[in-house]
Amino acid sequence: MSAPAGTLTDLIRTIETSPIVDRSAAAQALSVVRDGVLTGEGPTAAGRVHFSRSLDSGDYGWCNRILTSAALDQQPVSRAEAEMLFEINDAATERLDDGRFDDLFAKAIVHHAAAASGLPVPARTVALSPQTAIETWAPTTAIGVNIEVLEWIAAQMRGKRRNNRKLLTLVAGLIGAATTLPLAQSLPGLLDFSM
């Protein structure tokens, strides 16, 4: 069910102008984007032709605007935001955004994973920028990466029709590096590497 137009506008205004923003507002705004991707209708599709189950540059723009608002810049991507991004990724069977959402999606998930593991992450505007290569800040070893977070990501990706190649590569590398850890030995079976 799509939210009324005022709801998204109000959420975006809160996210962009409030000095203290709960990241749940960003997750809620991302759910409105998800609904628009699913139905092709609603506030995120207003004023343009939008087909259901497609993700276009407008949808990417909404996601980017929500995730990189100034009020959230110094906060790591939350689990709720990451879950919504997985749902948007799953909802979009057709991509018309030149890969921009896939790049944002991979960076946001890794930003969440690193921060949830207690590792330092750059500000969102740096980490999620299309000009910043994920390899410049993402963890490259499993040292310090929370196994529960890797398990959660693997579970989100398992059996999906469309997986993000960049995210798969990073998670597979972390899992490979973590194979000496007891819980990590079960992780490779969680990932379905078919694209």
Side-chain angles (χ1 to χ4, degrees):
M1 172 188 287
S2 295
T7 304
L8 180 62
T9 303
D10 293 342
L11 281 170
I12 295 292
R13 185 177 306 114
T14 298
I15 291 167
E16 291 181 337
T17 61
S18 176
I20 302 172
V21 171
D22 184 341
R23 293 173 295 175
S24 65
Q28 186 178 359
L30 288 169
S31 76
V32 175
V33 176
R34 179 210 51 214
D35 293 348
V37 168
L38 279 168
T39 65
E41 301 173 352
T44 60
R48 61 192 173 99
V49 175
H50 192 289
F51 298 101
S52 64
R53 311 289 279 167
S54 68
L55 187 146
D56 62 17
S57 60
D59 300 312
Y60 159 77
W62 281 111
C63 291
N64 187 55
R65 183 176 173 189
I66 293 164
L67 290 170
T68 62
S69 71
L72 296 172
D73 195 38
Q74 298 302 314
Q75 299 179 46
V77 173
S78 69
R79 175 71 59 99
E81 291 169 295
E83 287 172 348
M84 279 299 111
L85 290 170
F86 271 111
E87 289 185 22
I88 292 167
N89 185 60
D90 293 345
T93 57
E94 183 177 3
R95 301 297 170 96
L96 307 166
D97 70 324
D98 297 321
R100 291 180 287 193
F101 176 80
D102 286 346
D103 182 65
L104 178 69
F105 172 60
K107 289 173 179 176
I109 299 304
V110 173
H111 196 266
H112 165 68
S117 299
L119 300 173
V121 291
R124 289 182 184 213
T125 52
V126 173
L128 306 182
S129 169
Q131 287 74 40
T132 303
I134 195 169
E135 297 80 11
T136 63
W137 61 267
T140 56
T141 66
I143 297 171
V145 178
N146 184 315
I147 295 301
E148 182 275 327
V149 174
L150 289 177
E151 289 175 331
W152 176 78
I153 293 170
Q156 294 293 315
M157 296 171 70
R158 182 183 32 217
K160 302 297 182 190
R161 273 184 287 136
R162 180 180 183 93
N163 273 319
N164 184 296
R165 191 173 301 277
K166 187 178 287 189
L167 184 57
L168 269 173
T169 302
L170 285 166
V171 171
L174 290 173
I175 290 171
T179 56
T180 59
L181 302 172
L183 286 175
Q185 294 177 2
S186 65
L187 287 176
L190 292 175
L191 288 176
D192 176 6
F193 289 96
S194 62
M195 295 296 282

